[in-house]
Amino acid sequence: MEHVHEPTYENSKTDASLSVAIGGATGFFVGTDAAYLPDQNFLVDVVGIKDGTPDLLGCAIAGTSTTMGFGVAQTGLNAVFPAGKCWND
């Protein structure tokens, strides 16, 4: 496959930073479960999907939560990594 690079240390570093951004998306997605530790879930009032939420609205809220989580994590990565070193540079 000509577009897939051979594994290198540089690839591993960029894969790790992408994994952090995806982890942020995953973390915020967990916040949509209003029944999971509601007293500790700081996202429940922002993106919590409570009983009785229509399915389509629940899908939109879940998508919003993953977008927010990815954005928060990626913003942190952009602040920490020098220009040209992050996975998306």
Side-chain angles (χ1 to χ4, degrees):
M1 293 193 293
E2 65 184 80
H3 297 290
V4 177
H5 298 274
E6 293 295 320
T8 63
Y9 179 68
E10 188 63 32
N11 285 351
S12 295
K13 290 192 312 185
T14 57
D15 286 351
S17 64
L18 174 58
S19 295
V20 169
I22 292 171
T26 303
F28 272 55
F29 179 75
V30 171
T32 62
D33 187 355
Y36 181 71
L37 303 173
D39 296 335
Q40 299 175 23
N41 185 351
F42 66 94
L43 293 169
V44 74
D45 293 325
V46 179
V47 291
I49 300 173
K50 298 173 178 72
D51 289 338
T53 301
D55 292 342
L56 190 56
L57 178 58
C59 289
I61 292 170
T64 300
S65 71
T66 56
T67 301
M68 288 172 52
F70 187 89
V72 166
Q74 187 61 49
T75 299
L77 289 170
N78 290 343
V80 172
F81 278 77
K85 297 292 183 182
C86 200
W87 69 270
N88 59 345
D89 289 338

